[in-house]
Amino acid sequence: MTEQTSKRFANKKILITGASQGIGEDAAMHFATEGAQVAINGRHADKLKPLLEKLPKPVSGNHLIVAGDMSVEEDVDRVMKETIEGFNGLDVLICNAGMQIECPSEDISLKDFNMVMAVNVTGVVLCARAALKYWRSNDLTGNIIVNSSVHQQIPKPHYLGYSASKGAVGNIVRTLALEYARYDIRVNAVAPGAIVTPINDAWTKDPAKYEATAKHIPMRRPGKCSEISDAMAFLASSESSYITGQTLFVDGGLTLYADFEQNWSS
Ligand code: NAD
């Protein structure tokens, strides 16, 4: 989280899925620091309690823990209901929960492929459906932000489910944005590059592997969670009030065809 002094999200009610660690946890701290009420989701309530205790108090109201598995329809519907009833409203939905499974594509099991799609795609659709239903039936505006990935655009060998899921997220965002733009409901994505989070411990905590990874990134370093939270906050704020259907790549230049940094083709 970067140093925040403004309270620009005072009285805003924000649900963040997958907030027990990594980018989701940082985003919860960011929005709470800027005055919002945040509902933090993860599969297990006990893993969310330490974060709830750390969160700065919102300008009004309280924060919530809304535990549930975002790949399970009944859980998503209950989590959305608990959030909307607990807050008496919802301004911003942040679909951050995500996972990946590594495997050569010829060996991929249908169970693993379906699991990745269920969390990264179906979970987004189910959360968005409930939020849109609430906003439309109450004639409210709204804002959805999905955490995608550079692998929305860049292929990811050995991660077929992840690659397929983030590709799908890009078109889910564009389709929903077009369908709901007339109601002032905005839908955008952030697409992180390599970010220092627990899922990347294998290389971020090993100096040699860190060096090797950083060389692939035009800015020569991985990103910080706070740099993703800053982009989410921009998309959640009125500063982006005319932006919808976009994916904001926050990747230190990773999507710029880094191999062309030196001219080798002419
Ligand atoms: P992480 O593994 O640290 O956090 C993922 C969070 O999602 C955790 O809190 C986990 O408990 C939660 N989660 C997973 N499955 C869930 C489910 N079924 N229901 C509810 N919660 C669930 O990962 P992260 O790096 O913070 O990733 C967050 C998002 O950012 C993901 O969507 C990921 O694809 C995306 N992303 C991360 C990176 C990176 O380098 N870290 C890069 C690109 C995109």
Side-chain angles (χ1 to χ4, degrees), residues 15-18 39-43 65-85 90 93-98 115 117-134 144:
L15 168 62
I16 304 168
T17 71
I40 47 174
N41 159 264
R43 279 158 295 182
I65 287 178
V66 286
D69 187 328
M70 292 301 93
S71 65
V72 175
E73 187 174 20
E74 301 76 51
D75 280 25
V76 174
D77 288 347
R78 178 181 47 73
V79 160
M80 295 301 296
K81 190 168 181 286
E82 284 174 8
T83 304
I84 291 166
E85 288 181 2
L90 177 71
L93 164 66
I94 300 185
C95 297
N96 168 75
M115 193 192 301
M117 295 299 277
V119 178
N120 297 5
V121 178
T122 313
V124 171
V125 170
L126 292 172
C127 288
R129 180 180 71 176
L132 291 164
K133 177 69 94 183
Y134 167 69
I144 298 175

Side-chain angles (χ1 to χ4, degrees), residues 17-261:
T17 71
S20 64
Q21 61 176 41
I23 295 168
E25 178 183 7
D26 190 89
M29 284 298 287
H30 184 121
F31 284 109
T33 305
E34 288 208 74
Q37 284 178 265
V38 293
I40 47 174
N41 159 264
R43 279 158 295 182
H44 310 290
D46 51 327
K47 286 205 182 147
L48 295 160
K49 280 185 188 142
L51 173 59
L52 187 76
E53 278 156 27
K54 271 195 296 183
L55 289 174
K57 294 260 168 294
V59 167
S60 62
N62 55 300
H63 302 304
L64 290 174
I65 287 178
V66 286
D69 187 328
M70 292 301 93
S71 65
V72 175
E73 187 174 20
E74 301 76 51
D75 280 25
V76 174
D77 288 347
R78 178 181 47 73
V79 160
M80 295 301 296
K81 190 168 181 286
E82 284 174 8
T83 304
I84 291 166
E85 288 181 2
F87 280 165
N88 191 26
L90 177 71
D91 297 295
V92 183
L93 164 66
I94 300 185
C95 297
N96 168 75
M99 65 168 302
Q100 60 183 7
I101 298 174
E102 183 180 9
C103 184
S105 295
E106 75 266 25
D107 293 329
I108 196 166
S109 76
L110 189 57
K111 181 169 164 283
D112 284 356
F113 182 80
N114 285 344
M115 193 192 301
V116 173
M117 295 299 277
V119 178
N120 297 5
V121 178
T122 313
V124 171
V125 170
L126 292 172
C127 288
R129 180 180 71 176
L132 291 164
K133 177 69 94 183
Y134 167 69
W135 290 325
R136 287 302 303 128
S137 51
N138 293 282
D139 205 15
L140 294 167
T141 63
N143 191 331
I144 298 175
I145 298 159
V146 185
N147 199 347
S148 181
S149 164
V150 286
H151 298 293
Q152 176 179 316
Q153 185 170 309
I154 304 174
K156 192 170 189 186
H158 292 242
Y159 289 86
L160 189 60
Y162 191 75
S163 189
S165 71
K166 296 301 186 180
V169 160
N171 244 7
I172 289 169
V173 162
R174 285 163 52 78
T175 299
L176 293 178
L178 183 56
E179 194 169 338
Y180 291 93
R182 77 190 72 176
Y183 307 116
D184 203 5
I185 294 172
R186 299 191 292 117
V187 187
N188 292 290
V190 294
I195 308 300
V196 179
T197 69
I199 51 165
N200 289 328
D201 277 354
W203 60 266
T204 55
K205 291 195 185 310
D206 175 327
K209 286 185 185 161
Y210 180 99
E211 246 344 276
T213 304
K215 271 193 198 140
H216 291 288
I217 303 168
M219 286 183 74
R220 299 291 188 273
R221 65 168 178 88
K224 296 177 275 188
C225 287
S226 62
E227 292 172 311
I228 307 305
S229 301
D230 284 342
M232 288 177 172
F234 167 67
L235 291 171
S237 76
S238 57
E239 286 164 38
S240 61
S241 55
Y242 205 49
I243 298 176
T244 196
Q246 303 304 309
T247 295
L248 178 54
F249 286 88
V250 186
D251 64 359
L254 210 51
T255 41
L256 296 175
Y257 295 95
D259 212 23
F260 281 81
E261 203 177 49

